[in-house]
């Protein structure tokens, strides 16, 4: 049944939205029916609740969270408030909306809000509560912004959502903390765990977060400013959301969580102070409003402050008084809002400077408004009087510091005084005080049924005021019982308690209020007050502006836009992280191992110093001469050669050989490419940038040095012994590097030569059909394009190189060499021959290279698949050492065949990469060759 | 043999189909291009079906431990297939109008998906890296696809250079971990570290570089600089691809690297992730406010969202991982819809990528405005949309692991975030339409986008099945 209670409004909302477009007249009927249905459901539940039972129902939902609903007295009372006032508001709105307004959207949003609000009050689980809480913010956003053509409505809607939605997020965080403390989000368990929560170190953060949620929703200072701006909403919305229900969600939350979070020092100070300040401030500001709804909004803020203060007073009796006032306020404030709406509707203005003397034209509405205002001011025989008396009484029982004991009742009286004054202003300014000033319409009484909801509510005010025990006694008892979660304190709802101090305070407030209003009327023109210094709006705007400026600044400074700066940022971030986590602690610790030099090392050390010096010097030279690209390239080449020498020194001949060859081929490739680029690099725009880049480079270099140092001085277990031990017995070769390449990690190598082939093919695809226009390479063509000497030497070089390649290839498995090195040697020799040879447009030749690459890949794959033939996994290798005549023992391994594939692929790829760009220099067919041009 | 290949059957099918489409498309006249499209869609469907059909509760290792087929990988692969398929449906019209609807797009998308799937089921650094690079290379070229657009070329260039650098870092880190532990297999690495046999310093260096690489791939601050430019510069269809399925793969990468292989260094990487998460959430959300371009705004929102994902992740337990996974799934679903709507509004010569282009969308089409509203609410974390539960789950995980202040910071960051998402809502609902061109789209696109948007609401109201799947997938895959 509890689920039905929540689902009815939501379903009705969807239905109304669907139907409302076609049949606008049906929408209010459907909405009203839904509200009444909810009331009926509540009536069914009433006997159980009044007998003290707590209705529960739950369905599993989300890891560890149930959609739990729970109806105790407090929830029932609130649900009744939501449904009953909802029904009245629907009736009222049916007359209020103009024909231009889409009723479908309005009633759908209103019903969705009603469902959400019912969800908040009936939630049996804190997460469910937060969910519905946010939903009320969202639906209220839609309702405030209902008149979307109005700028103030849009701004008000957005502000309300920003404040209350943000508060909802804080509430979520608070709820999560509570759940963390209690171990459950279930309301029953949370309410029972009050002592546990209060003793927990996370209690204060949790409390603050929950209170932020409650205060934003209930428009407490300093978050109160959204409520006056929300008055841009249609008046039924203001009556429903911004007086009777949604803003009450905050104080409802205080009541709901009072057993879990209340009864502590932080609660008293936080809740009490906020309530006190809001109450006095709101009341004072309300008096100086010109807008009728503005006055009601600030009075709502003040009254909510009063209720908050009551909960903050932290006595059980104060909680009862708080719940009581909450109900009373809902009745009289909703009726006042509706009355204000009627006035606005029939007179065309809400400005109290224009509205005067309406008594003559609207006597019935006037009477109703006067009674409701009386309730607001706390006039005896009306409901507001009773709860206000209780409030005054409670302020006198505060037990705390002397100053506080004194301040609270005084503040209460002052707020009461202002309350009387603004109530009086409402009555006097609107219904009396002369004649109307320039009203757009001639005021008259509203339709019969539009006034009916106001009449109902005013009757409630009077009945409760006259016969409190009968009319509201049982409901208040169950509601307060639900809020306190325990036995009720002694209280009496009687009208007359004798002459006591609360009565005195009441009298003071009433007399003072009347005096204040008429005094102010006389001394200053209340109508001329248009600007008030109070209001958080400018704070809100300032905060938003600050956020926007911060965002702009962050956009300007942070994402950089330029690639070099992004790279710098990336590098520095990594270096910082690495430095923080890795370098700083190890460097701070003493080095564990200093590499010691043996006698052999000492001899080598001198050579090493020379080699390193040369390497560093050429690297610096390359940096300095970087603008002359060819010069710099030669220096880079020398650095590379020095590095290969370093490998020799470190007993890695294979690596040295490969490095040497790669270096040669790379320099050749770059020579070819540089041909097409300007000969010198552009200058740096400013010396500052140069120094900045130098600093970054130095930082990066030092960072890497630090890492290397840190790693080298730690004990390091290397995997080299593993391969050294297994190369010969398992791979059949003594050259461990080669065995690793072609055998142990043959799969990797296969992948690598495939990548090499693909890269070469891409070069082919991109540049194959491209020719440099004639005349582009001016200055490079000279008569000794191909001197005879070079040509002759190159021709004899080829067979020699082929022999070396074959030698390197064959010995590769045992001694430095291998397919990769052999391929590079062979390819380099061919390139030299081609470059030295007569230049002819030799397109067809280039198409042969892809075939060579393909052949290499095929050979490699076939070798791998060969092992499958013998039932072994792909690329399993085998070896034999047959003894041949003349040559002697020949180490043969299947891996050598694989190496052949590597050889072919390397030759093909290198030639393709080097020669295809070289061909670009070829003269077009119709132009004279460079050799012929003088 | 067949059984041994079963775990990689979806990948194999995908690869074969990608090659087929590549060849087929060469011979198809442009008017028959839809054949390639439907073949691609059929392949994706087949991959998804095979993934579901071969799903097993127990993890299955193949290729000598290079790949693993567990519930986690099945779940993420399935979602990746769905996301990529949806992306293709959304982008079809957009690409066709711009002359980009060619076979290359389909092939590159499939290969990117292949990369993701390899990443998702990788059990070794080698496969992990292989998948990552395959994915990245496809994305680089797809960003550059719109060759006449300067912004796209610039974005591709930046993405490529930075991405290559980040991959290098990741590889550097991986090789250090390899050097310290002597293995590339993530489970063996975990065992070595657990037994305390790894070299501490080298491991820690390796970890720093690995985390840097991961952070780059996720786009977490301070490794986020590529995200806005790439999201903005790339054609929206490609942005959609980048912003969705790869996030699932990136999550898998993070989980396999940090959650499995380097689980023993939990306390070290937790500290790093806290910084990354906090910076991402704050900076992403704050900077997003200043954006006027919705693609850029969503890029910053991605950054912030990845911060939230890391928030769940750094709890380093089942609750945290499943919350992070749920977050990623929710994010992918939301992101699909957001870019889907942007592409829906785009037409020839008009990108609809500025926030003001959404002005008065409610007047032009209340339905699409509503879908976009759901998307924005989900991103902002407003209940009852999916985004709320995602945020709730990660924050709860962080609180559960004792990171209370981080959780509070996360809430404040999402408060800032709500601001700019709601600005889009305000523009759509409360401002008058300047552009009144009717919105045209194919029927399948409309249906799918509507379903996608409503799914945000549906899964928001009933998140348990999705959350349950996340938990079960992780629990069955050994994260207990």
């Amino acid at each position: 049944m509890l689920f039905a209670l929540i689902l009815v409004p939501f379903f009705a909302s969807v239905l109304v939205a669907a139907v409302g477009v076609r049949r606008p007249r049906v929408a209010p009927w459907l909405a009203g029916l839904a509200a009444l249905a909810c009331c009926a459901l509540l009536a069914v539940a009433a006997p159980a609740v009044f007998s003290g039972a707590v209705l529960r129902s739950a369905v599993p939902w989300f890891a560890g969270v149930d959609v739990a609903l729970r109806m105790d007295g407090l929830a029932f009372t609130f649900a009744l408030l939501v449904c009953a006032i909802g029904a009245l508001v629907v009736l009222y709105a049916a007359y209020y909306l103009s024909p231009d307004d889409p009723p479908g959207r309005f009633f759908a949003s209103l019903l969705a809000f009603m469902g959400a609000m019912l969800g908040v009050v009936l939630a049996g689980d804190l997460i469910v509560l937060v969910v519905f809480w946010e939903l009320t913010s969202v639906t209220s956003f839609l309702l405030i912004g209902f008149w979307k053509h109005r700028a103030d409505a849009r701004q008000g809607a957005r502000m309300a959502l920003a404040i209350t939605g943000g508060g909802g997020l804080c509430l979520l965080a608070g709820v999560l903390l509570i759940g963390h403390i209690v171990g459950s989000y279930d309301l029953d368990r949370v309410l029972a765990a009050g002592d546990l929560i209060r003793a927990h170190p996370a209690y204060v953060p949790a409390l603050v977060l929950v209170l932020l949620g409650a205060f934003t929703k209930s428009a407490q200072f300093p978050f109160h400013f959204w409520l006056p701006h929300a008055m841009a909403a249609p008046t039924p919305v203001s009556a429903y959301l911004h007086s009777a229900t949604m803003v009450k969600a905050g104080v409802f939350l205080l009541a709901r969580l009072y057993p879990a979070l209340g009864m502590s020092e932080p609660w008293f100070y936080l809740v009490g102070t906020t309530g006190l300040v809001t109450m006095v401030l709101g009341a004072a500001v309300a008096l100086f409003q010109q807008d009728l709804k503005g006055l009601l909004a600030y009075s709502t803020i003040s009254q909510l402050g009063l209720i908050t203060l009551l909960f903050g007073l932290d006595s059980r009796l104060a909680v009862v008084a708080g719940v009581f006032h909450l109900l009373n306020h809902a009745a009289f404030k909703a009726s006042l809002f509706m009355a204000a709406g009627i006035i606005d509707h029939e007179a065309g203005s809400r400005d109290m400077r224009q509205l005067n003397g309406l008594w003559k034209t609207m006597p019935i509405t006037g009477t109703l408004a006067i009674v409701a205002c009386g309730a607001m001011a706390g006039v005896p025989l009306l409901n507001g009087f009773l709860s206000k008396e209780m409030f005054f009484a409670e302020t006198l029982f505060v037990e705390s510091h002397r100053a506080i004991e004194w301040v609270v009742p005084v503040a209460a009286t002052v707020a009461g005084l202002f309350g009387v004054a603004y109530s009086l202003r409402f009555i006097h300014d609107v219904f009396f005080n002369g004649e109307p000033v320039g009203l757009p319409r001639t005021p008259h009484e509203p339709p019969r049924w539009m006034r009916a909801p106001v009449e109902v509510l005013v009757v409630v005010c009077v009945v409760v005021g006259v016969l409190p025990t009968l009319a509201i006694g049982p409901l208040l008892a169950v509601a307060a019982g639900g809020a306190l979660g325990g036995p009720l304190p002694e209280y009496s709802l009687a009208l007359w308690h004798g002459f006591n101090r609360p009565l005195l305070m009441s009298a003071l407030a009433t007399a003072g209020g009347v005096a204040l209003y008429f005094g102010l009327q006389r001394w200053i023109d209340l109508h001329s007050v248009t600007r008030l210094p109070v209001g958080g709006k400018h704070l809100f705007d300032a905060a938003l502006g600050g956020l926007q400026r911060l965002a702009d600044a962050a956009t300007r400074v942070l994402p950089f836009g330029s690639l070099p700066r992004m790279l710098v940022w990336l590098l520095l971030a990594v270096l910082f992280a690495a430095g923080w986590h890795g370098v700083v602690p190890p460097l701070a610790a003493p080095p564990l191992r200093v590499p010691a030099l043996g006698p052999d090392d000492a001899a080598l050390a001198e050579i090493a110093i020379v080699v390193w010096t040369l390497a560093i010097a050429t690297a610096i030279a390359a940096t300095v001469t970087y603008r002359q690209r060819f010069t710099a390239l030669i220096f880079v080449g020398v650095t590379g050669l020095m590095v290969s020498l370093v490998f020799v020194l470190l007993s890695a001949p294979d690596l040295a050989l490969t490095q040497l060859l790669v270096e040669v081929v790379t320099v050749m490739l770059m020579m070819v490419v540089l041909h097409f680029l300007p000969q010198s690099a552009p200058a740096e725009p400013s010396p500052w940038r140069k120094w900045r880049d130098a600093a970054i480079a130095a930082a990066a270099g030092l960072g890497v040095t630090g890492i290397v140092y840190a790693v080298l001085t730690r004990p390091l277990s290397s995997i080299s012994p593993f391969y050294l031990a297994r190369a010969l017995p398992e791979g059949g070769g003594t050259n461990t590097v080669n065995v690793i390449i072609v055998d142990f990690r043959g799969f990797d190598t296969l992948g690598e030569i495939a990548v090499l082939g693909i890269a070469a093919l891409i070069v082919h695809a991109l540049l194959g059909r491209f020719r440099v226009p004639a005349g582009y390479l001016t200055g490079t063509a000279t008569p000794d394009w191909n001197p005879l000497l070079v040509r002759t030497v190159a021709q004899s070089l080829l067979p020699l190189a082929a022999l070396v390649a074959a030698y390197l290839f064959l010995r590769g498995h045992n001694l430095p060499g291998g397919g990769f090195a052999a391929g590079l040697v062979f390819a380099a020799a061919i390139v030299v021959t081609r470059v030295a040879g007569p230049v002819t447009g030799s397109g067809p030749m280039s198409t042969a290279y892809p075939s060579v690459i393909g052949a290499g890949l095929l050979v490699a794959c076939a070798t791998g698949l060969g092992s499958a033939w013998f039932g072994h996994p792909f690329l399993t290798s085998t070896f034999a050492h047959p003894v041949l005549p003349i040559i002697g023992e020949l180490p043969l391994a299947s891996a050598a065949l694989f190496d052949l594939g590597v050889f072919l692929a390397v030759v093909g790829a290198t030639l393709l990469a080097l020669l295809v760009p070289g061909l670009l220099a070829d003269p077009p067919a119709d132009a004279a060759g460079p050799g012929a041009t003088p | 043999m067949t059984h041994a290949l079963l775990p990689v059957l979806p990948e194999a099918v995908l690869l074969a189909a990608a090659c087929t489409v590549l060849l087929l498309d060469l011979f198809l006249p442009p008017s028959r291009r839809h054949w390639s499209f439907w073949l691609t869609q059929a392949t994706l469907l087949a991959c998804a079906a095979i993934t579901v059909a071969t799903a097993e509760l127990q993890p299955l290792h193949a290729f000598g431990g290079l790949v693993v087929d567990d519930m986690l990988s099945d779940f993420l692969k399935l979602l990746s297939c769905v996301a990529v398929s949806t992306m293709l449906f959304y982008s079809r019209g957009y690409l066709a109008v711009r002359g980009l609807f060619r076979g290359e797009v389909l092939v590159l998308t499939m290969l990117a998906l292949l990369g993701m799937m390899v990443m998702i089921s990788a059990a070794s650094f080698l496969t992990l890296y292989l998948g990552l690079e395959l994915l990245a290379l496809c994305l680089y070229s797809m960003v550059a696809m719109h060759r006449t657009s300067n912004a796209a070329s610039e974005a591709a260039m930046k993405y490529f250079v930075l991405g290559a650098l980040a991959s290098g870092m990741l590889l550097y880190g991986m090789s250090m971990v390899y050097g310290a532990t002597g293995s590339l297999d993530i489970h063996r690495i975990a065992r070595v570290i657990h037994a305390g046999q790894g070299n501490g310093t080298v491991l820690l260096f390796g970890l720093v570089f690995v985390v840097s690489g991961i952070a780059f791939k996720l786009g977490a601050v301070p490794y986020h600089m590529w995200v806005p430019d790439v999201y903005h510069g790339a054609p929206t269809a490609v942005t959609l691809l980048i912003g969705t399925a790869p996030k699932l793969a990136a999550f898998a990468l993070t989980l396999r690297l940090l959650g499995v292989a380097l689980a023993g260094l939990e306390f070290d990487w937790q500290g790093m992730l806290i910084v990354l998460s906090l910076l991402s959430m704050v900076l992403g959300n704050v900077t997003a406010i200043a954006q006027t371009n919705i693609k850029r705004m969503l890029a910053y929102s991605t950054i912030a969202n990845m911060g939230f994902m890391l928030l769940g992740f750094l709890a380093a337990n089942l609750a945290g991982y499943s919350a992070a996974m749920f977050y990623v799934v929710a994010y992918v679903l939301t992101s699909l819809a957001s870019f889907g709507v942007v592409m829906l509004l785009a037409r020839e010569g008009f990108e609809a990528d500025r926030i003001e282009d959404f002005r008065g969308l409610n007047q032009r089409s209340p339905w699409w405005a509503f879908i976009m509203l759901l998307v924005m609410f989900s991103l902002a974390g407003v209940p009852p949309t999916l985004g709320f539960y995602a945020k709730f789950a990660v924050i709860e995980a962080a609180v559960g692991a004792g990171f209370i202040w981080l959780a509070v910071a996360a809430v404040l960051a999402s408060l800032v975030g709500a601001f700019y998402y709601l600005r889009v809502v305000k523009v759509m609902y409360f401002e008058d339409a300047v552009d009144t061109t009717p919105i045209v789209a194919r029927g399948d696109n409309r249906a799918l986008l509507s379903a996608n948007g409503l799914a945000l609401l549906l899964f928001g109201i009933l998140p348990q099945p999705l959350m349950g799947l996340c938990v079960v997938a992780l629990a069955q895959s050994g994260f207990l």
Side-chain angles (χ1 to χ4, degrees), chain A residues 801-823:
Chain A
L803 201 63
V804 172
Y807 172 67
L808 282 177
F809 177 77
L810 282 178
R811 64 179 237 154
H813 216 48
N814 288 329
L815 292 165
F820 186 74

Side-chain angles (χ1 to χ4, degrees), chain A residues 641-871:
Chain A
L641 293 182
M642 290 305 127
V643 171
S644 64
L645 269 181
V646 170
F647 286 139
V648 173
L649 284 171
L650 293 173
S651 331
D654 218 310
L655 207 51
L657 181 63
T658 314
Q659 165 76 18
L660 184 69
L661 290 167
V662 169
E663 200 58 46
V664 169
V665 174
T666 317
V667 170
M668 282 167 79
L669 181 64
M670 286 178 73
M671 286 281 200
V672 172
V673 174
L674 275 187
H675 220 65
F676 302 102
L677 293 174
Q679 300 290 309
S680 57
E684 291 291 329
S686 71
W688 179 85
R689 221 172 120 165
K690 220 177 209 167
W691 285 112
R692 186 201 65 184
D693 292 351
I696 292 164
L702 285 174
V704 172
T705 310
I707 292 175
V708 171
Y709 177 77
V711 170
L712 285 182
T713 51
R714 293 314 99 167
L716 184 68
S717 62
S718 164
I719 50 164
S720 358
F722 169 87
Y723 285 119
L724 285 175
R726 281 170 176 73
L728 190 57
E730 292 182 17
T734 49
N735 180 0
T736 315
V737 175
N738 186 263
V739 172
I740 292 175
I741 290 174
V742 299
D743 190 341
F744 290 150
R745 307 213 66 89
F747 225 129
D748 297 5
T749 312
L750 184 62
E752 278 161 20
I753 57 174
V755 169
L756 195 64
I758 292 169
L761 283 181
I762 290 172
V763 171
H764 181 62
L766 287 176
L767 300 178
R769 270 177 283 170
F770 176 72
R771 290 289 179 274
V772 178
Y776 181 77
L777 302 169
T778 47
T780 54
T782 59
D784 359 326
W785 180 251
N786 293 310
L788 188 65
L789 187 65
V790 175
R791 217 180 302 172
T792 320
V793 171
Q795 267 164 6
S796 57
L797 192 68
L798 187 59
L800 215 61
L803 201 63
V804 172
Y807 172 67
L808 282 177
F809 177 77
L810 282 178
R811 64 179 237 154
H813 216 48
N814 288 329
L815 292 165
F820 186 74
L824 284 178
V825 169
F826 192 60
I830 291 184
V831 169
V832 170
T833 323
R834 294 267 299 136
V835 168
V839 177
T840 45
S842 44
M845 181 64 185
S846 65
T847 55
Y849 307 135
S851 324
V852 176
I853 300 171
L857 279 172
L858 271 181
V859 168
C861 287
T863 315
L865 285 173
S867 58
W869 182 266
F870 297 102

